[in-house]
Amino acid sequence: GAVVSQHPSRVICKSGTSVKIECRSLDFQATTMFWYRQFPKQSLMLMATSNEGSKATYEQGVEKDKFLINHASLTLSTLTVTSAHPEDSSFYICSASGITGILRDTQYFGPGTRLTVL
Amino acid sequence: DAKTTQPPSMDCAEGRAANLPCNHSTISGNEYVYWYRQIHSQGPQYIIHGLKNNETNEMASLIITEDRKSSTLILPHATLRDTAVYYCIVRVRGDDKIIFGKGTRLHILP
């Protein structure tokens, strides 16, 4: 149980295009989802927190107009990188926490999406 | 900033117990200690968490000192597949956000 998936696992795009990454909780309902990014040899950096049905809360320094987050249902959150540039190339990881019990106590992470912007 | 301090790297012989320390001297009374690990190019994997009592599951044991200022994650019989970066995190359980520190890179030696 407690599986989180991401799609796509890897994407390559041209500079200036937009890329959408999906994060799904497969076997539980996730009231809260988080988006992180990770540059090579660095730790995960939290980008934003999203709650189902409400606007995301962005961490300081993260541009909300560039990284659009939608959490329209209890099992799906999406991150759209708008007008991507090479410096946006990174490993993007989502996590989800559930409603009750250990699902509420723990964040479960997706496998990550490797974005390369040419 | 992360509220924990961990050694940057550790080695452990395959088959032996791996003991990973973590200092969290400013932990609050309502904060839990969580451990995650990240294998290269994958998302972090939840291992275990605890408040003040020692905990054990199928993956590991968590030993928390009586004053709660430090803890140790124990992998009882380390294998090559345990090679990863291990993160010790303190947070109020629930939907509290996680701030990752630099973790400990564990190398399992054959």
Side-chain angles (χ1 to χ4, degrees):
Chain A
V3 178
V4 177
S5 70
Q6 284 184 239
H7 178 79
S9 58
R10 187 181 297 269
V11 58
I12 301 173
C13 70
K14 294 181 179 180
S15 184
T17 61
S18 294
V19 174
K20 180 185 284 188
I21 302 169
E22 292 185 349
C23 176
R24 294 183 185 272
S25 55
L26 297 185
D27 51 3
F28 67 101
Q29 293 183 320
T31 52
T32 308
M33 287 185 169
F34 302 84
W35 287 95
Y36 297 81
R37 62 181 169 183
Q38 185 175 33
F39 295 106
K41 299 189 184 301
Q42 295 186 20
S43 188
L44 285 79
M45 292 176 50
L46 179 66
M47 299 175 67
T49 302
S50 73
N51 291 291
E52 186 264 339
S54 61
K55 291 184 178 180
T57 302
Y58 291 81
E59 294 298 302
Q60 192 173 5
V62 177
E63 300 174 56
K64 62 178 67 176
D65 294 330
K66 181 170 184 60
F67 299 98
L68 302 179
I69 292 172
N70 183 273
H71 191 165
S73 78
L74 287 174
T75 59
L76 174 64
S77 176
T78 60
L79 168 68
T80 301
V81 183
T82 62
S83 187
H85 289 95
E87 57 266 29
D88 298 322
S89 298
S90 188
F91 192 48
Y92 291 86
I93 307 168
C94 72
S95 70
S97 62
I99 298 174
T100 60
I102 192 169
L103 294 176
R104 181 179 63 88
D105 296 344
T106 304
Q107 281 185 36
Y108 296 91
F109 286 79
T113 296
R114 173 89 47 204
L115 170 64
T116 303
V117 185
L118 302 177
Chain B
D1 290 344
K3 300 180 181 179
T4 62
T5 304
Q6 300 177 251
S9 67
M10 291 183 63
D11 293 338
C12 179
E14 190 177 16
R16 304 298 294 269
N19 297 283
L20 291 90
C22 179
N23 288 321
H24 31 79
S25 58
T26 61
I27 191 169
S28 301
N30 63 345
E31 286 183 316
Y32 286 68
V33 179
Y34 283 77
W35 283 83
Y36 285 82
R37 71 180 182 184
Q38 186 179 25
I39 296 170
H40 182 62
S41 295
Q42 297 182 24
Q45 176 188 22
Y46 164 77
I47 301 173
I48 198 167
H49 75 283
L51 182 62
K52 55 182 179 181
N53 296 321
N54 298 337
E55 301 287 344
T56 295
N57 63 21
E58 64 277 5
M59 289 184 68
S61 295
L62 173 60
I63 309 297
I64 303 173
T65 58
E66 192 168 345
D67 64 7
R68 302 208 324 122
K69 292 185 177 183
S70 66
S71 61
T72 301
L73 177 74
I74 302 173
L75 307 178
H77 304 288
T79 71
L80 295 176
R81 287 177 293 182
D82 293 320
T83 295
V85 178
Y86 287 77
Y87 295 98
C88 170
I89 294 152
V90 295
R91 61 192 277 263
V92 177
R93 70 185 212 184
D95 57 3
D96 195 23
K97 62 185 180 183
I98 294 177
I99 304 299
F100 283 88
K102 296 183 178 180
T104 295
R105 185 171 297 275
L106 178 65
H107 299 102
I108 305 300
L109 308 175

